[in-house]
Structure formats: C-alpha cells, structure tokens
Amino acid sequence: MSFCVIIPTYNGGDIFKRSLESIAFQSRQPDKLLIIDSSSNDDTVKNASLYTTDIEIIPSSDFNHGGTRNQAANMASDFDYLIFMTQDAILNTPNDFDNIIDFLERDHDISAVCGRQLPHDDANPLAQHARYFNYQTQSQIKTEKDIARMGIKTVFMSNSFSAYRTADLINLGGFPADTILAEDMYVAAKMIMQRKKIGYCAEACVRHSHNYTFIQEFKRYFDTGVFHSKESWILERFGNISGEGKRFIISEFKFLCEKNPLWIPSAMLNTFAKYVGFKLGANWSRLPKSWLPKLSMHKNYWLKK
C-alpha cells in the first residue's frame, strides 16, 4: 500500500531538520514526501530539498489549516494513505510509519488514525501533563456508539501526526476549506457521522509539545472558541467540552502536586487564560473587527477577510 507524507512548513528552524532526520530513519519509507511551504525566510526549503524534490511554495497569506492541507491531499490523491505531520513533530522510533499504517490496514472501516504524542525533552511540567492526559498508553478504535460514553473525545484527532485513508478523505470533501484551526476534529466528526471509525495508535509516536505562555494559551483558546462558534454542530452532536475541561484541571493539579508543585500558580493562570479566551472566541462576532487579529494566534485568518 502506497502512502505520502505531507508537512506544511513555515520557518521550521532546527526542529524541522530533526523531524526530517526522523523520517529518513523510518524502516518504512514514504512513496512521496510532500512539503507545502508558506514562503519561509529561513533555511526550511533548503533543508527540505535534502530529502525531497516535492516542495510546493505558496504565499504565506494563502495558508489555511484546512485549505492548504486540501491542496496537498489533492496533489497526493493517487496514494492509498496520507500521513500528515507538523514541522515540529519528531518521530520517536524507526517503526512509527509502519505502526500507524498497519493500524489503518487492520480494518477497512477505519478512515483515520492519529498517533501518540510525547512531550519534547525540554517540555515544562504543564506541557508534559497535557501530552500524558490527551495521549494514553492504550490504542483504541472509536465509532458512533462511543459518543454517549466519550463525548467530544470521540472525535479527538491531531494532524501533528495522523494518517488518513485517501479515498475516504477525498469522498468526504476533504478538510474545511477555510478554518482557523481544528480541521482534524472537523473531519473526524464528519467521518464518525458517516459511520466510519476513527483510530488512536499508541504504538506510533512523535515528540511534539509546546511551552505556551498564558498569553499564547489565551490566543489558542480564543481561536478554539471561534472554531466551535462557527462549527456549532460538533458540540451539539458530540457534547459540551466543559466536562473534559474539568477532568483536565483535576488531573493537572494532581500531576503538579506530585511532580512540581511550584508550577501550580502558572497552571491556575493558564486555566483562567484558556477560559476567558474560549468565551471571547465563542462570541467573536460581537467584538470589534479590529480586535480579532490581536486576540488570535492565527491573525492572518482575519486579515484575509
């Protein structure tokens, strides 16, 4: 079965070099490595060219989380599977491509699967806990029947390391053409509603995490609120995210009490920033238009409109 690895890039820096190196060490090599670069002004394209000739350069103003990945998917539609990664995701073992592809091949009704994310070596305690909470040690397959039990977690998906059955993704219409983020959750929700299956493969791992400041957390959750405001059908169909948020806060508090209590004040500040950011994002249409790029992590999304 053939597969293409797709990575959108912009000023990837040294961590992108490490990501490329981790791909080169995979026991199962992709049939194509496709880089979609948003006009980087560092050595991103030069570094990528050491590993592939399939590099598409687009204006940075044209990038969109969904639309750009659709562009790449259409360029690679002849392959059986598409693996999406981000420029800061580093494959953890030489068997990660093997494992995520094998997971898809075990059941034809599995349309998409995401791998496990482990924290980077320099991850702070908050970033460490976020990965341990969201990415468990047990693999699973989720279906429509799991909604009552799992709620919004049924459609948890991350394109930092994910694999899709190409035909299913294309037949679905691909990712949303214009979304501020969460194109992966959007597609996962559509697949579940079409009675397809979504997988999580704990045996396929990348190192991927962010040491966000409270301001960055605010902006990230502002964008999350915008997404759920515009795609309100997801929460209506799969349930509110407040329950999952409460479980995260309790888990984080216990983790920090055990590992590093000095980080508890930072965790409280971040939680407040997330809450306020999400609420403002959910009500973005009531805010002055000039505020939106300033409140958002993805300001180009607003500047294009």
Side-chain angles (χ1 to χ4, degrees), residues 26-42:
Q26 289 298 295
S27 59
R28 187 170 184 172
Q29 284 294 299
D31 298 277
K32 183 175 185 175
L33 173 58
L34 175 59
I35 307 297
I36 305 291
D37 185 74
S38 298
S39 300
S40 294
N41 52 34
D42 67 354

